[in-house]
Amino acid sequence: MSDEETQGMTTLREGEPQDDGQDLRPTGRLVYRQALTTRLAHWLWAAALFFLLLSGLQIFMARPNLYIGQQSGFGFDNAVLSIDAERQGPRIVGYVDLLGHRFDTTGWLGAIAEDGQLQPRAFPSWMTIPGYRDLATGRVVHFFFAWMLVATLLFWFVASLINGHARRDLVPTRRELGGIGADIVRHLKLRFAHDGRYNILQKLSYAAVLFLLLPLMIATGLTMSPGINAFAPWLLELFGGRQSARTIHFAGMLLLVLFFIVHLVMVLLAGPLNELRSIVTGWYRTDPEAS
Amino acid sequence: MAELRIPRRRFLTGAALAASGAALSGCFDDLADRGKPVRGVLTSAERLTYEAQRLLLGADALAPEYAASEVRQAMRPNGTTGPRDPEYQRLAAAGFTDWRLSVTGLVERELSLSLDEITNMPSRSQITRHDCVEGWSCIASWTGVPLARVLDEAGVKPAARYVVFHCFDTMENGFTGPVRYYESIDLRDARHPQTILAYALNGTTLPVSNGAPLRLRVERQLGYKMAKYLRAIELTDRLSGFGDGMGGYWEDRGYEWFAGI
């Protein structure tokens, strides 16, 4: 890696690489925004999280119920979420039971149409890997990509501490935190500064995902392992039991999906080609007034 | 600027949706094919998990044990809950007085133990959490003889690496006859202090639905490892001679042999 790359986002260069001729902000300068390690980690995460999500839903489908505590209540009730189906006369009704409130989700969750016939199934087949019910394969896929996620996160942590990416680009300054209100207003007005730096909301959301949410997903995932329970029983106490850890793991998944949706929307709103270029090649075109 | 950008955005959005749609409509179903090399790459992670846990966990690191107050419900029966095999039904009708557990394979002395002989051996009781591969957990109290005690009685030959558990319950009828449940663990798990052959559950005799007269408990692994309706124990140096060679009924159907995760 060259010195310029290790300097990451703040490196400025003019006229290089060649302007693609499509961007309608020709006078803005290109900045070297993303180090190779950051770009590599980004795409490895994207792949790993894609497979983890869809295989995770396959695994969840084997018991689409969430509980609070050490165990699952069969002789008592400690369920907080259930996705299920029941027969009402001639038809099957799919429903989600969330904290005692029941929502009819026929066709979406709980009862899914297969070949024109409603079948009891927590998720539609496009949401799971494999598309049909196969817990064994779901687990094989999930644990492979879990290892990949952990390895990538460790690699990124080390690289980002060495090249300063974590401190420089993700840790907010006091001044930025003070200006958070103004930044929220800017976001609501869909007015984005293209100065090559992360704004405060970006910093906070990336930092939250990388330093809190992903480690939480890994820790709650490990808490479900009976082997790891023998190695680190304190994890069970930290999360309030294996079934609570499973519930938190599921909630964390929902937060990651939310992050992904907002992330994609922001890329589209901020200029998808420029954003994509920077996360593929590292080069990002700033607004003229910013450079 | 906006006019020119929107079609491009639309195109990108459309392309992304099309790509994810194609990806999500069963494109990864090949991953289930155990003959394909990609499956081999994915399952290599199981080896990693096994080695990592063997590295992290001391041989005797104990699974968490719970207070009696945590036994809040009957143990949920799962898998086979009433074997229909005539041999098993005959033994059950006689209260398992004629039942014997044979210990064979790479041992110094083959054993044939009655239920009385087993219950008269030193016992261990433990309140532990049973984790099913499906995702649920249930806490119950188990009493049985440590497997290590039985292995010592038989004398394990140095070449032995695995303990195979043969069960009474027929899972399906294959071309070559009935396919019975079986399982296997390595000697490290077999000699773990919490690995017991259980004959009592929550203070009473083990019910048929939970594996009477004797079932395995391997507390650092998932439920499917804990074979019910035990018939025989066999010490071996390789798993290739049993079932489809993957080390267990569910392992032959794609589940991990090491179920510590």
Side-chain angles (χ1 to χ4, degrees):
Chain A
M1 196 187 298
S2 74
D3 280 345
E4 274 160 340
E5 275 174 337
T6 55
Q7 285 166 27
M9 191 187 269
T10 50
T11 310
L12 295 172
R13 267 195 222 168
E14 267 179 281
E16 188 189 0
Q18 285 300 302
D19 185 42
D20 59 14
Q22 293 175 334
D23 202 296
L24 290 181
R25 281 171 294 172
T27 50
R29 263 200 292 184
L30 280 172
V31 295
Y32 188 71
R33 188 190 203 196
Q34 307 290 4
L36 178 64
T37 50
T38 310
R39 287 177 274 142
L40 206 57
H42 173 272
W43 290 109
L44 288 172
W45 282 326
L49 289 171
F50 172 83
F51 284 101
L52 281 166
L53 171 65
L54 299 186
S55 60
L57 293 177
Q58 168 74 244
I59 294 170
F60 184 74
M61 202 161 60
R63 178 143 293 264
N65 311 84
L66 293 174
Y67 312 87
I68 294 295
Q70 300 285 355
Q71 56 183 329
S72 314
F74 300 111
F76 58 97
D77 186 14
N78 65 340
V80 289
L81 176 95
S82 297
I83 302 176
D84 214 334
E86 67 177 16
R87 202 166 273 285
Q88 287 182 1
R91 68 185 214 108
I92 296 176
V93 174
Y95 65 89
V96 171
D97 196 313
L98 179 66
L99 297 166
H101 302 280
R102 184 178 280 215
F103 305 93
D104 189 324
T105 53
T106 308
W108 297 92
L109 299 167
I112 309 298
E114 280 171 23
D115 304 322
Q117 196 85 33
L118 280 175
Q119 303 288 343
R121 197 179 190 280
F123 301 117
S125 74
W126 60 265
M127 276 171 71
T128 62
I129 289 179
Y132 47 86
R133 215 179 262 279
D134 184 350
L135 174 60
T137 300
R139 284 170 54 84
V140 165
V141 172
H142 202 72
F143 299 144
F144 176 87
F145 286 100
W147 274 107
M148 189 168 129
L149 180 82
V150 170
T152 307
L153 199 59
L154 287 177
F155 160 78
W156 177 86
F157 272 142
V158 171
S160 299
L161 283 179
I162 292 173
N163 69 19
H165 172 54
R167 179 185 45 76
R168 185 185 54 240
D169 303 328
L170 296 182
V171 179
T173 63
R174 203 175 284 272
R175 220 181 94 221
E176 286 173 322
L177 283 172
I180 193 166
D183 199 42
I184 291 172
V185 171
R186 271 197 300 276
H187 273 81
L188 290 175
K189 290 178 174 171
L190 301 184
R191 287 179 48 174
F192 307 115
H194 298 91
D195 59 2
R197 295 169 185 282
Y198 293 153
N199 57 59
I200 180 64
L201 293 185
Q202 255 179 312
K203 281 189 170 188
L204 287 177
S205 54
Y206 294 157
V209 168
L210 294 165
F211 297 123
L212 297 176
L213 197 46
L214 290 182
L216 179 77
M217 292 304 276
I218 293 164
T220 49
L222 286 173
T223 308
M224 284 186 259
S225 150
I228 294 301
N229 288 166
F231 169 68
W234 55 270
L235 278 171
L236 283 170
E237 293 177 23
L238 180 65
F239 295 119
R242 180 180 193 251
Q243 290 301 321
S244 291
R246 185 169 175 263
T247 300
I248 297 168
H249 198 70
F250 189 88
M253 175 275 291
L254 293 178
L255 287 177
L256 281 174
V257 170
L258 177 69
F259 169 80
F260 173 70
I261 292 168
V262 173
H263 185 55
L264 275 201
V265 167
M266 293 310 292
V267 165
L268 291 176
L269 290 176
L273 283 192
N274 196 26
E275 300 291 332
L276 266 176
R277 171 171 57 194
S278 84
I279 202 64
V280 172
T281 69
W283 291 93
Y284 182 83
R285 184 172 299 287
T286 57
D287 281 342
E289 62 270 27
S291 35
Chain B
M1 158 173 144
E3 297 92 318
L4 269 170
R5 272 188 178 268
I6 283 166
R8 204 185 293 158
R9 274 182 208 156
R10 266 197 206 138
F11 168 76
L12 275 176
T13 318
L17 282 177
S20 57
L24 298 178
S25 60
C27 274
F28 298 105
D29 289 0
D30 271 6
L31 297 176
D33 189 339
R34 281 180 285 148
K36 293 249 167 75
V38 63
R39 177 78 175 208
V41 173
L42 292 180
T43 51
S44 64
E46 188 204 335
R47 182 87 209 170
L48 199 57
T49 305
Y50 175 70
E51 297 295 345
Q53 288 209 11
R54 283 289 178 258
L55 196 71
L56 289 175
L57 272 68
D60 289 347
L62 294 179
E65 293 193 17
Y66 295 87
S69 59
E70 295 274 16
V71 182
R72 298 172 63 190
Q73 55 189 347
M75 177 63 201
R76 180 184 170 85
N78 201 37
T80 309
T81 50
R84 283 181 294 186
D85 305 68
E87 193 188 356
Y88 179 84
Q89 298 211 324
R90 185 178 57 76
L91 290 166
F96 298 108
T97 45
D98 299 331
W99 173 90
R100 292 286 181 283
L101 178 77
S102 69
V103 184
T104 60
L106 295 173
V107 290
E108 305 291 349
R109 298 165 293 279
E110 295 202 340
L111 303 177
S112 177
L113 302 168
S114 72
L115 200 52
D116 270 351
E117 286 172 312
I118 288 172
T119 51
N120 281 328
M121 286 176 159
S123 72
R124 188 183 202 282
S125 290
Q126 57 204 30
I127 299 174
T128 51
R129 197 190 67 233
H130 181 99
D131 297 326
C132 179
V133 67
E134 292 169 2
W136 55 265
S137 309
C138 193
I139 293 174
S141 152
W142 303 92
T143 303
V145 55
L147 177 58
R149 182 74 178 66
V150 175
L151 295 183
D152 287 343
E153 193 109 327
V156 177
K157 287 185 175 169
R161 289 182 60 203
Y162 304 101
V163 186
V164 175
F165 302 88
H166 298 281
C167 307
F168 277 106
D169 48 330
T170 296
M171 302 299 289
E172 57 193 81
N173 281 297
F175 292 116
T176 53
V179 177
R180 288 189 156 135
Y181 202 88
Y182 78 104
E183 257 303 338
S184 62
I185 55 176
D186 65 7
L187 279 174
R188 191 157 159 183
D189 266 330
R191 291 196 169 281
H192 185 262
Q194 287 171 320
T195 299
I196 61 174
L197 302 174
Y199 45 75
L201 166 62
N202 291 339
T204 57
T205 309
L206 187 64
V208 166
S209 60
N210 296 103
L214 197 67
R215 76 170 295 172
L216 177 66
R217 297 293 310 168
V218 193
E219 303 294 357
R220 299 188 301 183
Q221 295 205 43
L222 296 178
Y224 66 87
K225 298 301 288 185
M226 310 195 208
K228 296 155 80 174
Y229 314 111
L230 291 181
R231 188 163 57 87
I233 290 177
E234 191 173 343
L235 277 290
T236 178
D237 58 347
R238 62 177 71 97
L239 297 173
S240 54
F242 306 90
D244 290 342
M246 302 305 287
Y249 175 79
W250 288 114
E251 288 84 335
D252 288 339
R253 280 145 193 84
Y255 286 85
E256 299 92 348
W257 174 77
F258 179 67
I261 186 166

